[in-house]
Amino acid sequence: QVQIVESGGGLVQPGGSLRLSCVVSSRPFGVLTMGWYRQVPGKQRELVAQITSSGNTHHADSVKGRFTISRENAKNMVYLQMNSLKPEDTAVYYCGAGNGPIFWGQGTQVTVSS
């Protein structure tokens, strides 16, 4: 019943930036914990960043200081600003809604390469 759509992925050079967006159909959006996750072939999906309904954030050590998660409740949107991108950031990025269970979008590809 929850519909989630990510956008904003693409190909960027190392050191570049991208901003991912996620729109969620669920109401009220403002009560949901939201997260960005990423996955590469052969590896587990990992949490990149999380933001609670109250606005508290968590960022994985691997992206801390480079990525920032934010939300805009009036638009049912969550964002991931990615700066200083590295080749190891290459992955499919997924938007996840909730924390038990988590509902997923279809993902958006981010490729960091020269």
Side-chain angles (χ1 to χ4, degrees):
Q1 191 169 351
V2 177
Q3 184 177 358
I4 301 169
V5 180
E6 304 99 330
S7 62
L11 173 64
V12 296
Q13 294 183 336
S17 297
L18 282 174
R19 190 190 193 210
L20 305 184
S21 299
C22 170
V23 62
V24 181
S25 67
S26 177
R27 288 286 189 181
F29 171 76
V31 308
L32 293 173
T33 293
M34 299 296 303
W36 285 98
Y37 303 74
R38 66 188 182 188
Q39 189 168 25
V40 299
K43 291 191 175 183
Q44 293 285 111
R45 187 171 299 183
E46 66 173 352
L47 176 67
V48 175
Q50 181 177 273
I51 185 165
T52 69
S53 60
S54 61
N56 292 333
T57 62
H58 166 79
H59 298 81
D61 289 343
S62 59
V63 306
K64 191 174 297 183
R66 300 188 298 120
F67 293 8
T68 304
I69 190 171
S70 62
R71 65 195 298 162
E72 193 170 355
N73 289 341
K75 295 183 177 180
N76 282 25
M77 298 287 292
V78 62
Y79 308 97
L80 185 68
Q81 179 66 47
M82 304 186 294
N83 299 324
S84 301
L85 283 160
K86 304 175 180 179
E88 52 262 44
D89 295 319
T90 296
V92 177
Y93 283 71
Y94 296 90
C95 181
N99 57 12
I102 298 176
F103 296 86
W104 304 102
Q106 66 181 16
T108 185
Q109 177 71 45
V110 172
T111 302
V112 185
S113 177
S114 59

